[in-house]
Amino acid sequence: MAEANTAPGAQTGILGWVERTGNKLPDPVFIFFYLIIALMIVSIIAAMTGVSALHPTAIDESTGAALRIDAVSLLSPDNIQRLWVEMPKTFTHFHPLGYVLVVMLGAGIAERSGFFAAGMSKAVKSAPTALLTPVVALVAMIGNHAADAGYVVLIPLAGILFAAAGRHPLAGIAAAFAGVSGGFSANISPGQLDALLFGITEEAVGASALDPSWTANIAGNWYFIAAMTFLYLPIIWYVTDKIIEPRLGAWTGGATAGVEAGDTPADPAANDEALASKGLRHAGLAALFVVGLWTLMVFAPGTPLIDEAACDAVPAADCSIHAQLRPLYQSLVAGFFLLFLLTGWAYGRATGTIKNHRDLVNMMAESMKDMGYYLVLAFAAAHFVAMFGWSNLGLITAVHGAAGIESTGLPLPLVLGLMVIFAGLLNLFVGSASAKWALLAPILVPMLMLLGISPEGATAAYRVGDSATNIITPLMVYFPLILVFAQRWVKDFGLGSLTAMMLPYSVWLLISGVLLIVGWFYLGIPLGPDAPVAYTLPGGAG
């Protein structure tokens, strides 16, 4: 295979600048530590100069006026004590930590048993030739629940299937990459990404103290991400068939050129169609069991997932069914854990990838090993978010930021559109979705709450920008792997070639995402169950 020039700094122009600048940035863990140091310095200066704001909801009982919030130095005796004494609590009470680890315990079984890989392969291989592109794109977006499997299984498989159909394999790789990574936040149901992002959102709301009663609902963007899926699907289809494939030209290399070890799933059962089909049937039955179990807990006598007393103190006209369904929404993290666990276990038992309970436990342990880096990142992010709250700078910045935005007269949907573009630009340099949101949420979430936009709305706007530019930054962790997949078919395909191929997808996904978020907020459509677009501070303030 000919070696392509992929060394850092080899790119020129804007892409070269992005690559060189991004490579100079420290690891996200150390970005948080450096920001903590900067936050300490700023908090000292802010406390000395009397930086303050009036709390939008709290009242000073001694004066009857709005409570004044003053900046607090992080080097005050109380904050120093809190840092060292509460360090274990600050880490373990970081909301995203529990959400993500619980879901990933189950997802690790589904991935390692081969269930995710077999499911994606079955769906794509069964697609009619005329519908190959949209099926690849749809499976790629849904396959985001499968984490790494979407990249290492579906993308090379798409190249093979396109070549077998007489189409250019790079078009298949591009369509799958656009779906898996460009449509990273799009899906037909919530999953581990929702648990991760809403955990950070909940932490930001809690640190602001604007609404102590607000709790995360990982289905809070369900309607929105489903709409993203069906918006992005025709865009990826059109860009692939009408822009990318005509530029690549006719494929004459045959159906097997470039196929090497690693192009097919590592699951041994994937090479045995009958065995894989048997495993998928067993997994389907397991999925039906979980759905039936949750349905039973909603409608059976006793209704453990329905809070029948939620409306006892509320006038009947003001009571919402969503208030009664809150336990159901909050149970979805456990629901996805059980769904992934049982479907993966059922598939593994049927295909032989799980022979006994020890294999199951080992797979769960391996999935936690994979979360090692996330645990380190979460430790740094938890302290940054917590210390932002201790200093009061997050709320003060949000109050003054909201007032500044109001003074500009910009419509709120336009503000959200600009937020999407900002997140997309930041994504070129900081690839981690959780790292970026942990940086932005402590300010953006309370600021948008003060402007009348719900925490779910802030999260939805962020995730649009976070995914659209994944596919054009060389700093994206899977970018080199995608390049290797492409070079198996076209030997001299370089990093610049891959970026240029994916750029039309990125542009159209970003434009359509901005239009979607702006239109959604103008229309006021709920983002998910019990997740309105608009928000009013407790007591009607704001």
Side-chain angles (χ1 to χ4, degrees), residues 330-356:
Q330 293 175 333
S331 75
L332 291 178
V333 171
F336 279 109
F337 158 70
L338 194 62
L339 177 67
F340 291 145
L341 171 65
L342 293 185
T343 52
W345 192 356
Y347 179 87
R349 290 286 292 180
T351 60
T353 56
I354 297 178
K355 297 180 175 61
N356 51 52

Side-chain angles (χ1 to χ4, degrees), residues 6 58 92 101 121 137 143 145 153 186 204 212 225 271 275 311 355 376 383 393 396 403 434 437 463 537 541:
T6 61
T92 58
L101 293 182
S121 298
H145 286 331
V153 173
I225 62 174
N271 294 322
L275 196 56
C311 294
K355 297 180 175 61
V376 178
H383 282 83
L393 288 176
I396 292 171
S434 57
W437 192 223
R463 62 197 305 173
L537 290 171

Side-chain angles (χ1 to χ4, degrees), residues 221 224 405-406 408-425 437 440 443-466 510-525 527 532-535:
N221 281 169
F224 183 76
I405 291 175
E406 282 185 321
T408 65
L410 289 174
L412 287 183
L414 181 58
V415 172
L416 286 173
L418 294 174
M419 177 180 161
V420 169
I421 295 173
F422 173 70
L425 292 174
W437 192 223
L440 298 175
I443 295 176
L444 291 180
V445 171
M447 184 177 71
L448 292 175
M449 290 169 68
L450 292 171
L451 292 171
I453 295 174
S454 66
E456 293 91 347
T459 308
Y462 164 74
R463 62 197 305 173
V464 173
D466 171 61
L510 187 60
I511 291 174
S512 62
V514 170
L515 293 176
L516 176 64
I517 198 78
V518 170
W520 199 283
F521 279 75
Y522 266 121
L523 296 173
I525 304 170
L527 295 154
V533 167
Y535 174 82

Side-chain angles (χ1 to χ4, degrees), residues 104-278:
M104 289 307 297
L105 275 172
I109 301 297
E111 181 178 2
R112 284 166 174 77
S113 67
F115 168 59
F116 280 152
M120 288 188 293
S121 298
K122 183 75 171 179
V124 175
K125 288 179 179 178
S126 301
T129 302
L131 298 177
L132 188 55
T133 301
V135 169
V136 165
L138 181 60
V139 173
M141 285 186 281
I142 296 174
N144 287 326
H145 286 331
D148 295 350
Y151 290 96
V152 301
V153 173
L154 183 59
I155 293 177
L157 178 61
I160 296 170
L161 293 176
F162 266 61
R167 301 177 60 181
H168 204 295
L170 294 191
I173 288 174
F177 189 25
V180 171
S181 195
F184 183 61
S185 283
N187 218 303
I188 60 174
S189 69
Q192 55 259 45
L193 179 63
D194 297 80
L196 172 64
L197 295 182
F198 274 109
I200 296 173
T201 303
E202 184 173 10
E203 193 78 18
V205 174
S208 74
L210 288 176
D211 188 350
S213 66
W214 192 88
T215 56
N217 164 18
I218 72 164
N221 281 169
W222 190 350
Y223 305 157
F224 183 76
I225 62 174
M228 285 177 66
T229 304
F230 292 104
L231 173 66
Y232 285 177
L233 180 60
I235 289 174
I236 295 174
W237 188 359
Y238 177 84
V239 172
T240 301
D241 289 4
K242 302 300 182 181
I243 299 177
I244 300 304
E245 197 163 12
R247 290 182 180 179
L248 291 170
W251 174 248
T252 58
T256 58
V259 180
E260 299 176 12
D263 279 340
T264 54
D267 170 24
N271 294 322
D272 188 330
E273 293 291 341
L275 196 56
S277 296
K278 176 184 176 183

